[in-house]
Amino acid sequence: MVNSKLKVSILMMTCGIIEIVFLALLFAKDSEFIMFLPGILLIIIGIILLVIYLKEKRECNNSLWNKFIDQICSKNLDNLSTIQKNAVLCFLYDTEMESGGHSGFFSIYEDMNYKDLEKAICVVANKKIADNFKEALVKGKKDDYVKTDEKYYSYSPALVDYLEEYVEKNKEKIFK
């Protein structure tokens, strides 16, 4: 659901664009520079409205992500629904991978149920990322997780991209 501030911005932008196009067409017929200047000014105003709209849309998406981190990730895993738990497990894994790699992850989360994390990665992202995690569990320590870390960082889209999409898609169930 789009918030009311964003709805107003969309409405204002739409009206502004319609007005700009209409006035630009009117002013474009007259070749005098004096009449051309207001058309340019209206186009600039339209661009400013578009930038404001895009900024508010990005802030709306960021606030959902921040809400997820603040309200859901801080809860005990045992108190979460399956959808919430999948998202939080992937968040914890990705966050630690970005700061310390598999070595850091396994040292911090040595008591985590790794089977649950593997399943969560499959649900949220894909089997390739989950298989890489599984490989890190089995073979990674032999080379200090160098190969599995490199493989993890090479994935595109990254786990965090899948996770943001998952949170957006399941926001009603995650924030219930």
Side-chain angles (χ1 to χ4, degrees):
M1 174 78 66
V2 178
N3 68 25
S4 60
K5 189 175 179 183
L6 190 57
K7 285 180 185 178
V8 170
S9 295
I10 292 170
L11 179 62
M12 286 176 55
M13 188 183 83
T14 304
C15 292
I17 289 173
I18 291 170
E19 183 178 348
I20 289 167
V21 169
F22 177 73
L23 291 174
L25 289 173
L26 283 175
F27 290 131
K29 290 181 180 180
D30 198 343
S31 63
E32 293 181 31
F33 182 74
I34 298 292
M35 296 305 278
F36 185 68
L37 193 58
I40 298 286
L41 184 63
L42 290 173
I43 290 171
I44 291 171
I45 291 170
I47 291 170
I48 291 170
L49 286 172
L50 179 62
V51 168
I52 291 169
Y53 164 73
L54 292 174
K55 182 181 174 190
E56 286 188 14
K57 183 177 178 185
R58 184 177 59 231
E59 286 174 1
C60 180
N61 288 341
N62 286 343
S63 68
L64 179 68
W65 183 249
N66 291 338
K67 182 178 175 184
F68 165 68
I69 294 169
D70 292 341
Q71 294 180 8
I72 307 302
C73 292
S74 59
K75 292 183 179 180
N76 186 317
L77 288 173
D78 296 331
N79 299 332
L80 300 175
S81 69
T82 303
I83 290 173
Q84 292 170 323
K85 188 174 183 179
N86 287 338
V88 171
L89 286 170
C90 288
F91 175 79
L92 295 174
Y93 175 59
D94 181 71
T95 301
E96 194 52 46
M97 285 300 297
E98 292 302 323
S99 64
H102 282 105
S103 178
F105 175 79
F106 290 128
S107 67
I108 290 176
Y109 296 105
E110 56 191 359
D111 295 333
M112 181 182 281
N113 184 332
Y114 296 139
K115 291 274 187 210
D116 286 349
L117 175 56
E118 183 184 344
K119 289 176 190 173
I121 295 170
C122 283
V123 170
V124 172
N126 60 41
K127 189 165 175 7
K128 280 190 339 187
I129 298 174
D131 286 345
N132 186 58
F133 170 73
K134 194 173 180 180
E135 185 177 334
L137 270 172
V138 177
K139 302 178 191 174
K141 204 166 191 169
K142 292 178 186 173
D143 73 345
D144 201 28
Y145 305 102
V146 171
K147 289 180 185 173
T148 53
D149 284 359
E150 286 175 358
K151 198 185 264 187
Y152 181 84
Y153 301 131
S154 73
Y155 291 125
S156 181
L159 177 58
V160 71
D161 299 323
Y162 286 110
L163 181 56
E164 287 176 359
E165 186 178 308
Y166 181 83
V167 169
E168 175 66 34
K169 187 173 96 178
N170 294 292
K171 62 186 170 193
E172 275 81 30
K173 294 176 184 172
I174 289 175
F175 297 107
K176 64 178 180 170

